[in-house]
Amino acid sequence: SDTKVMTCAAVWRMPKELESGSHESPDDSSSNTQTLELLCHLDNTAHGNMACVMWEPMGDGKKIISLADNNILLWDLQESSAKAVLSSSTALEGKGQLKFTSGRWSPHHNCTQIATANDTTVRGWDTRSMRQIYCIENAHGQLVRDLDFNPNKQYYLASCGDDCKVKFWDTRNATEPVKTLEEHSHWVWNVRYNHSHDQLILTGSSDSRVILSNMVSISSEPFGHMVDDDELSDQEDQHQEEKIKEPLQDSVIATYEEHEDSVYAVEWSSADPWLFASLSYDGRLVINRVPRALKYHILL
Amino acid sequence: MAAMTAGSGAGGSPEATGGSTGSGGWRRPHGPLQRYYGPSTAEAAEAAPDPTDINGPHFDPEVFMTKVRSECPLGQLLSHEAALGREIRALDSDMQTLLYENYNKFISATDTIRKMKVDFRHMEAEMDDLAANMAAISASSARVSAALQDRHHRGAQLSGVQALLRKLQALVEVPGRLRCWAGTEPARALRCHARARAVLRHYRHLPSFRAIEDESHAIMADLAQRLRARLRCETLNPKELTECVEMLLQLEEPAEELSEEFLSQAGVRLEAELAALEAELPMADPLGTVTMPPPPASDILDFVDRGSSAFVGTLCQLAGSYRTLFGRDTGCLEPFTAALVARYFALLEQRLALEHGLGDTSLLVRALDRFHRRLRALLELLPTCTDAAAELVARAARERVDRYLRALQTFFLGCLGDVRQALAAPRPPGKEGPSLPDLLATLASSVLGQLKAVLAYVQLFTATDVAFASLPYFKGEFCVTAVREGLVVAFMRWLCRTVRGFADGLTERGAPAAPPALLLLLARLCLDYENSTISYILTLTDEQFPPQDSGPAVTPGPVLCAEARAAAQRLLDHYVQVQGAAVAQMLRKSVETRDWLGTVEPRNVRAVMKRVVEDITAIDVQVGQLFEEGVRRAQSSDSSRRAFSVYSSSRTPGRYAPSYTPSAPMDTHLLSNIQKLFSERIDIFSPVEFNKVSVLTGIIKISLKTLLECVRLRTLGRFGLQQVQVDGHYLQLYLWRFASDERVVQGLLDEVAASAAHRCLDPVPMEHSVVELICERG
C-alpha cells in the first residue's frame, strides 16, 4: 500500500480573515500563514483517482461534481458541509481504459449540464439523468487538456489540448469547430473565458507562454455597430473614425513570456474582470492586466 | 609584132559589142547588183581610169602595148600573146553560139507582130456588133421589168399575209400547246405563254383574241394552282423548289406570299435535316435517371461533316436562291436563317456535350475546324453567325481544356494512389522497401510527362493549319486565360492545395491519415517544384502558347513558387509533427503505464528507449533519402564532439549534483532558473528547415518535451528516478548526433532528470559510472 499513489479530493474552508478582510496589511498575513480548514473528504476509494472537482456554478454551493477515472460523481454537501453524500453517479463505458482528464460545469440551463474530456473526445452530460447529451469525437488530434463554457452564450464551449490548438465549439453542431486558434507551440493546458467579456480568452501552455486573445466574432458582444446610423448623419466625421476603429478582428492581444517553464494554470480574477494570473512549473505566479487600450475599446 | 597588132586590132573591134558580152559573161551575176548597190571597189578603181586594163572601158591599146613592151621580157610577151589569142578565139566562138541561139527568136517575133496587125482588124468589127447587141438587151430588159412590176407587188403582199396568218395560227394554237405542256413541261409552257402574252394583251379588244387570252389565262391559272399544290405538299429538293417558285413568280403570283411559302417550305426541308442530326443524339431521359447515355453512334467529326454538308449546304443554297428570286431587301430571310442556325448550334452544342471523355482531341479540333470553315459560307448571309460560331468553338475549346485539367488532377491522384500503395505494400522479409527517391522521380516525371502531353494536345487548338486558330481569341485570351491560367497555373495551384490537404484538415476528422513517408515525399516534390519545375513548366507553356503583351495579367512564377514552398513547408512541418507524435506517444504510454513508485532497481535501459532510438534512426534514414544533411551548430572544437560521452560524463554529474540534494531545493530552482535565463527558449512545434538535421531536431524536441511533461505528472520512487536517469543517459548517447545542436538534447534531458528528481519521494541518484555501465551494456 506504500507504493500506491492515489489522487483524492476534499472540501476546505478558506480562513475567515481572507474572505472578509482583504484590506488587511499584507505583511501581517504573510507573517502568520492562515491555514485552510478541512471540512470533509470526498470518498473515492471505490472509484479511482480524482481528476477534477467542480462546484455548481450557481446556487447555494451544496453540490459538487468530481471526475474519478471513468466515473462522474455528484456529491451533496450536508450538515453545513461537514459531510459529502454521493447523490448520483455514472460511469463511462467503452473500449480500453477510459479516464476523464478534465471537466467543466455549465452555468447555463439551470446548471444541469457538464462537459467532460477523455482522451481526444469531449462529452456533454445532463446531471439530472446522468446521461450523455452530446459527444465531440476527435475534438483534438491528441489529448484534450481543458474545457471552458462561454459564460454568456449557452452553447459555446472552448477546448484545448496536446495538438497545440484551442478550439471553439457550438455544442449543437459537434462535427466542426466554430473557430480554431493555433498560436501555441506546445500543449495547451488551460483555456479560460473572461467572466464578463467573453471575447477575452486566456490560454496557458507548456511552451511557457500565456496568450490573451480577442475572439470578437464568436463572442456575445455585438459584432459591429448596432446603433441606427441614420440618426447620426450629422456626426459624419465621428462616424468615419468609429468605422475605422470598429471591425476589430479576432486577434492575439498579447503573448506573455514571463514564465521560464511550462504554464499549468491560468485564471481570471473573480473580482476584477481585467486581471488574470498564471502559474508555471517553476513556481512562478504572474499577475497581468488586460492592456489599457483594449479595455477602453471594449468599455467605450 | 604585126600579129600582135592585128590581134589587138581584132581584139579591139569586138570590144564594143563582145566586150560587153565578155565582161557580161564574167560579171553577169555581179553587174546589176553592183549597179544597184552603188559604187563598188571595182568601180572605185574605174574612177581612176586605167588605160592598161584590157577589159576596162578606157583601154588604150597604145598605152597597153608600150607598157607591155617596156615592162615584160620576151618570154612573158610570147605567153601573153598566146593567152590573148586564146581568149579572142574563145570570145569569137561564144559570140557565134549566141547568135545562133537567138536567131529563131528574132524570126518568130517578127512573125507575131505581123500576125497581130491582121487580127486587130477583125476585132474592131466584132466589138461594134457587141455594142449593138447590148443596147438591144437592155431595152428588152427594161420592158420586161416594167411588165413584171405589178406582179411583184402582189407577191410581196401575199407573203406578208402568210406570215401574219402563221402568227395567228401560232396564237390560236397557244392554248392547245399550253394545255399540252402544262402537265409535263411547265417551263416550256411558261415560255410559250410569256411570248404570247403581250400580243394577246394588245389585241384583247378583239373577241377572238380575248377568247384565246382567256383560255390561256385559265390554263396558266390552272398551272399556277398545280404548282402551288406541288409547292405545298411535296417534299422538293432545293433546286425543284427554286424552279417551282421561279415559275410561280413568272406567273405573276404575289411575291410576298410566295416568299413566305418558299421560306416555310425551306424551313420544312431544313427542319428535316436538323431532325436527322438530332436523331443521332441520344434522347434526353425523361425520367431523369442517371444512367450514362450510350456513346453516340458516329464520332464528332462525322457528325459535324454531315451537319455542315447537309444542313449548311442546303441553307446556303436556299438562301442564295431566295435572294435571286426575291431580291435582297426583304427582311424575313435573316430572322429565318438566324433561328435555324441557332438551332443548329444548339444541336452541335448538345453533341459536343456528349464528348465526355478525352477522346481524340485532334478529331475534335478537326471537327471544330470544319464547322468553322463551313460557316464562313454563311458569313455574307448572316454576319452574326460567325461570332456565335467562334463563341461556340471557343467554348468547346475551353471545355476541353477544363476536361484536361480534371484529367490531370485525376492522373495525379492516381499517381499518389500508386505511391501510397507502394509505400503501404507489405515488404517481403529481407528486402528493402521501395526507395523514396525512386518513387519521387517516378511521380515527378510521370506528372510532368502527362502535363507535357496535355499541353501538346491543347496545342492542336492553336495549330497553324486550323482556321479558327487565327481568331483573336485563340491567339490571345485562349493562350493566357484558358491554357496558362486555366490549365497550367490552376493545376499547380490545385496540386499545392491538394498536397497541403494531407497536412491540413484530412488527418483530423476521420479520413485515413497519409503515411509519413508520403508527407516527406510530397514535401520534397513541392520543394522541387519551387526550385525548378514550376519555372520550367511556365517557360514551356509560354513558348508553346506565346502570351500577348496586351493580354490579361498572368500569374507570375514567383507567386506559384511561393505557394509551392508554403505547401512544402507545411508538409514537412506536418511530417515532423506526425513522426514526433508517434515517438511521443510511445514515450508517453511508457511513462504513464509504469508504476514508478514500486519499480525495482534499474538493470537495463527500458526497451521503449531502444525502440525510440531505432525509430529515430529509421526516420533519419528516411529523411536522408530525400533531403540534404544540413548544418549542425559548430561546437567549440571538433575533438569535443568526438569525446562527447567522456565530456558529458565528466560534466553531467556536476550539474546534476545540486538538484539531487534535498537539503537545498531553493538552490535548485535558482540554478535552473538562471540557467534558463541564459539558454534560448526552445519552440517545440516550430517550423523546420528543408534539411535532415532540422527535421530530426524537430522530431527529437517533440519527443523529449513529451517525456518531460509526462514525467512531471508522475510520482517516482528512488528506483524510478534512477530508471529515468538511465533512460535519459541512453537517449543522450544516441540522439545527439541527429540534432543540429546537441545542447538542445542535453538541455531537455537535463530538465527531464531535474523534474523527475522533483517528483521523487526519495531522490537518491545512481552513480554515474553505473549509469554509463548499464547504458553501454544495453
Side-chain angles (χ1 to χ4, degrees), chain A residues 3 5 137-138 162 164-165 167 175 185-187 189 206-209 257 259-262 264 281, chain B residues 508-509 581 588 595 597 669 673 676-677 681 683-685 705-706 709 712-713 715 751 755 758:
Chain A
T3 61
V5 179
E137 301 272 5
N138 285 319
D162 284 4
C164 313
K165 290 175 184 162
K167 294 189 180 181
T175 53
S185 65
H186 202 240
W187 307 349
W189 285 73
S206 44
D207 63 359
S208 326
R209 290 189 181 93
E257 306 202 342
H259 295 286
E260 301 290 348
D261 208 327
S262 307
Y264 291 130
Y281 177 75
Chain B
E508 274 182 36
R509 312 292 299 175
R588 192 166 106 189
D595 179 11
L597 215 51
H669 278 295
N673 282 351
K676 278 176 191 160
L677 275 181
R681 186 190 286 274
D683 275 340
I684 305 303
F685 290 101
K705 179 75 176 176
T706 304
E709 294 295 337
R712 282 179 182 178
L713 290 175
T715 309
E751 282 201 49
S755 298
H758 276 301

Side-chain angles (χ1 to χ4, degrees), chain B residues 604-619:
Chain B
N604 268 317
V605 178
R606 285 190 300 146
V608 69
M609 293 302 162
K610 292 180 181 167
R611 180 78 199 283
V612 164
V613 170
E614 274 170 23
D615 279 9
I616 290 184
T617 312
I619 292 170

Side-chain angles (χ1 to χ4, degrees), chain B residues 518-556:
Chain B
L518 182 68
L519 295 175
L520 197 65
L521 193 85
L522 292 178
R524 184 70 227 186
L525 181 73
C526 284
L527 198 64
D528 287 346
Y529 265 71
E530 189 236 341
N531 286 337
S532 57
T533 314
I534 285 182
S535 64
Y536 169 71
I537 292 174
L538 285 185
T539 316
L540 190 75
T541 312
D542 286 347
E543 265 172 23
Q544 293 187 350
F545 301 91
Q548 292 189 327
D549 298 336
S550 56
V554 296
T555 313

Side-chain angles (χ1 to χ4, degrees), chain B residues 654-731:
Chain B
R655 193 190 279 185
Y656 278 25
S659 58
Y660 299 143
T661 32
S663 58
M666 289 309 288
D667 284 357
T668 327
H669 278 295
L670 201 63
L671 258 177
S672 74
N673 282 351
I674 290 171
Q675 183 198 329
K676 278 176 191 160
L677 275 181
F678 291 102
S679 67
E680 287 168 47
R681 186 190 286 274
I682 301 167
D683 275 340
I684 305 303
F685 290 101
S686 55
V688 293
E689 289 162 26
F690 293 103
N691 59 55
K692 192 178 85 177
V693 167
S694 178
V695 169
L696 264 294
T697 309
I699 293 170
I700 290 170
K701 275 197 300 191
I702 292 173
S703 315
L704 295 186
K705 179 75 176 176
T706 304
L707 180 64
L708 171 66
E709 294 295 337
C710 289
V711 165
R712 282 179 182 178
L713 290 175
R714 304 294 301 183
T715 309
L716 297 89
R718 184 207 292 176
F719 296 132
L721 169 67
Q722 290 181 354
Q723 182 69 60
V724 170
Q725 211 182 333
V726 169
D727 291 351
H729 187 72
Y730 180 80
L731 288 181

Side-chain angles (χ1 to χ4, degrees), chain B residues 57-128:
Chain B
H58 305 284
F59 179 66
D60 187 350
E62 283 304 318
V63 179
F64 179 72
M65 284 304 290
T66 16
K67 188 176 176 244
V68 172
R69 253 194 327 242
S70 59
E71 282 177 5
C72 300
L74 182 66
Q76 205 176 347
L77 275 178
L78 282 178
S79 67
H80 206 109
E81 194 245 326
L84 277 177
R86 269 196 314 273
E87 212 171 305
I88 289 163
R89 271 193 303 277
L91 282 172
D92 269 341
S93 70
D94 276 355
M95 201 162 60
Q96 275 172 359
T97 316
L98 280 172
L99 202 65
Y100 287 135
E101 274 177 2
N102 292 321
Y103 184 74
N104 278 333
K105 288 177 189 166
F106 286 133
I107 299 280
S108 67
T110 317
D111 283 351
T112 308
I113 289 167
R114 199 175 297 148
K115 222 181 337 180
M116 272 170 72
K117 274 182 191 161
V118 178
D119 288 350
F120 272 116
R121 243 169 259 144
H122 276 293
M123 281 257 286
E124 255 169 52
E126 274 168 23
M127 285 309 283
D128 285 346

